[in-house]
């Protein structure tokens, strides 16, 4: 889910030096829904050049190429990238090794899923502490998996 304008304002008001990043995966899905089936594969390949670029300047060039190639058919899709450009490319300010973690919400969605897994079968909890313990167990399990993933990337915590 993309953050709303109100969410962004609240974040920036609370932490003025913060950076907001729109989930690129959600942007891809949103953009792709306007592309006809026969063009999806080629369009997706061209779009991938944007978010896998080594830096923001190369990403801009890739967006310009996408525009040149597809704007006549899918102007709304290109406009969406241009409108959200600053918040779609904030991840370029970070090291290559952690960009994917930043530009997708998969990590957050995964954590939310783990918490739901621990709490979904309960119709009610006897106490607030019981809820917190279930959430703690879910977060603890997810943290172990994340630590393993970070270790494989050479990003030991």
């Amino acid at each position: 889910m993309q953050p709303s304008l109100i969410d962004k304002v609240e974040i920036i008001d609370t932490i003025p030096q913060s950076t907001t990043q729109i989930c690129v995966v959600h942007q891809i899905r949103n953009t792709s829904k306007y592309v006809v089936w026969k063009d999806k594969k080629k369009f997706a390949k061209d779009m991938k050049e944007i978010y896998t670029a080594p830096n923001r300047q190369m990403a801009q060039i890739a967006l310009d190429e996408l525009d040149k190639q597809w704007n006549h058919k899918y102007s709304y899709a290109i406009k969406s990238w241009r409108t959200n450009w600053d918040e779609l490319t904030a991840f370029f300010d970070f090291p290559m090794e952690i960009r994917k973690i930043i530009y997708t919400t998969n990590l957050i969605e995964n954590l939310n899923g783990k918490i739901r897994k621990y709490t979904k079968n309960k119709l009610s909890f006897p106490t607030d502490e019981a809820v917190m313990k279930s959430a703690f167990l879910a977060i603890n399990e997810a943290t172990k998996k994340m630590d393993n993933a970070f270790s494989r990337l050479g990003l030991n915590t």
Side-chain angles (χ1 to χ4, degrees):
M1 176 187 298
Q2 301 289 352
S4 70
L5 181 57
I6 293 169
D7 294 335
K8 292 175 199 172
V9 170
E10 287 175 2
I11 291 168
I12 292 169
D13 283 349
T14 306
I15 310 168
Q17 65 275 39
S18 64
T19 301
T20 56
Q21 169 69 48
I22 292 176
C23 179
V24 174
V25 173
H26 286 102
Q27 176 69 21
I28 293 165
R29 287 180 192 150
N30 184 50
T31 304
S32 296
K33 71 183 178 185
Y34 299 104
V35 178
V36 298
W37 183 83
K38 70 178 183 111
D39 292 336
K40 275 194 195 278
K41 196 171 190 177
K42 175 71 171 119
F43 188 89
K45 182 178 180 278
D46 292 345
M47 199 169 29
K48 187 175 184 178
E49 296 296 319
I50 298 169
Y51 60 90
T52 59
N55 57 50
R56 189 177 278 114
Q57 293 76 22
M58 295 300 291
Q60 181 67 56
I61 291 168
L63 177 61
D64 292 342
E65 287 297 315
L66 185 75
D67 188 337
K68 198 182 307 178
Q69 174 74 24
W70 296 103
N71 194 42
H72 67 285
K73 280 179 105 169
Y74 305 114
S75 61
Y76 187 79
I78 307 299
K79 182 181 179 203
S80 175
W81 278 88
R82 292 205 184 278
T83 301
N84 297 306
W85 186 251
D86 290 338
E87 290 168 322
L88 282 168
T89 58
F91 70 94
F92 283 112
D93 295 336
F94 297 88
M96 185 79 79
E97 295 81 11
I98 63 169
R99 287 181 184 174
K100 190 171 185 179
I101 295 168
I102 295 169
Y103 77 65
T104 73
T105 56
N106 289 347
L107 205 57
I108 295 164
E109 291 168 1
N110 184 286
L111 178 59
N112 289 338
K114 294 260 188 277
I115 293 170
R116 270 193 306 279
K117 178 180 162 185
Y118 272 79
T119 59
K120 76 176 180 180
N121 294 329
K122 304 271 188 196
L123 296 176
S124 65
F125 287 90
T127 64
D128 289 349
E129 187 178 349
V131 174
M132 289 175 51
K133 284 181 179 179
S134 284
F136 172 80
L137 289 171
I139 292 167
N140 194 34
E141 179 184 314
T143 302
K144 288 177 189 173
K145 289 184 178 182
M146 286 180 211
D147 285 346
N148 288 336
F150 287 145
S151 291
R152 285 192 306 272
L153 291 171
L155 303 170
N156 297 333
T157 54

